[in-house]
């Protein structure tokens, strides 16, 4: 009887994990769109590092995007490792996304019309009071649940367009 219950729990947790990742992907998209409208996004590895160094208390969430360039770029991997460590030290939730083109579409272009470097995106919360967003709450919960099963930097899949 115990084995059957464990099998059922295993099946439930597999379904729960897929649902959780899907919900997190939708929440991330909502958060990025909302934060962009309010000018609460910092986009780019170097830009993000500057913000974290100057004002880490205003960083609410961090997104790291991996792609083929990431796999071949040792400097980018080192930056990611340092950003992750900084986020862990400052209690900032961090996730990975494997679809950098989709992230670039969500965050837009720079002044020249070129796509922004979406390898690192910070959601900031300027001022003393924290910015409240239901999508941000969902993502914080997703990260907390992921850490409970030793997934320190969970990977999120954005919804299909």
């Amino acid at each position: 009887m115990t084995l059957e219950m464990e099998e059922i729990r295993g099946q439930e947790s597999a379904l729960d994990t897929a649902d959780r990742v899907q919900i997190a992907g939708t929440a991330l998209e909502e958060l990025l769109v909302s934060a962009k409208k309010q000018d609460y996004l910092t986009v780019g590895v170097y830009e993000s590092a500057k913000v974290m160094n100057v004002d880490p208390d205003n960083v609410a969430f961090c997104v790291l995007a991996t792609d083929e360039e990431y796999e071949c770029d040792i400097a980018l991997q080192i930056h990611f490792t340092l950003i992750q460590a900084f986020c862990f030290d400052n209690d900032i939730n961090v996730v990975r996304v494997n679809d950098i083109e989709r992230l670039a579409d969500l965050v837009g272009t720079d002044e020249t019309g070129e796509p922004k470097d979406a390898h690192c995106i910070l959601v900031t919360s300027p001022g003393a009071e924290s910015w409240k967003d239901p999508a941000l709450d969902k993502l914080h919960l997703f990260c907390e649940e992921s850490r409970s099963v030793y997934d320190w930097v969970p990977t999120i899949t954005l919804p299909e367009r």
Side-chain angles (χ1 to χ4, degrees):
M1 183 75 165
T2 308
L3 185 58
E4 290 173 7
M5 288 303 287
E6 288 175 7
E7 287 175 7
I8 291 170
R9 282 192 193 115
Q11 291 171 354
E12 285 175 355
S13 68
L15 292 174
D16 289 346
T17 300
D19 290 343
R20 284 179 50 248
V21 170
Q22 185 175 11
I23 289 167
T26 302
L28 180 59
E29 181 178 30
E30 291 169 4
L31 177 66
L32 293 175
V33 169
S34 177
K36 181 181 174 187
K37 285 179 186 172
Q38 298 188 49
D39 199 28
Y40 287 178
L41 286 183
T42 300
V43 181
V45 173
Y46 298 106
E47 294 81 357
S48 297
K50 283 189 265 183
V51 167
M52 284 189 220
N53 188 41
V54 173
D55 200 1
D57 293 336
N58 285 342
V59 178
F61 200 77
C62 178
V63 180
L64 298 174
T66 56
D67 59 359
E68 298 80 35
E69 180 183 346
Y70 171 79
E71 300 300 326
C72 301
D73 189 339
I74 298 299
L76 187 58
Q77 291 177 25
I78 292 169
H79 285 296
F80 274 26
T81 301
L82 294 172
I83 289 168
Q84 285 173 196
F86 187 89
C87 288
F88 294 152
D89 285 347
N90 289 279
D91 296 322
I92 300 166
N93 286 315
V94 57
V95 296
R96 285 190 187 247
V97 174
N98 292 328
D99 191 349
I100 194 165
E101 291 84 16
R102 182 96 165 74
L103 276 176
D105 288 344
L106 288 171
V107 298
T109 58
D110 63 16
E111 305 79 39
T112 64
E114 290 294 313
K116 293 182 179 179
D117 170 22
H119 281 103
C120 183
I121 301 169
L122 298 182
V123 177
T124 56
S125 177
E129 57 182 75
S130 276
W131 175 52
K132 296 294 179 194
D133 185 284
L136 184 58
D137 292 338
K138 287 177 189 172
L139 288 165
H140 284 312
L141 180 61
F142 173 78
C143 288
E144 186 178 314
E145 290 171 349
S146 296
R147 282 191 302 273
S148 73
V149 293
Y150 305 106
D151 186 2
W152 302 109
V153 183
T155 300
I156 292 179
T157 303
L158 292 167
E160 295 291 322
R161 281 275 155 194

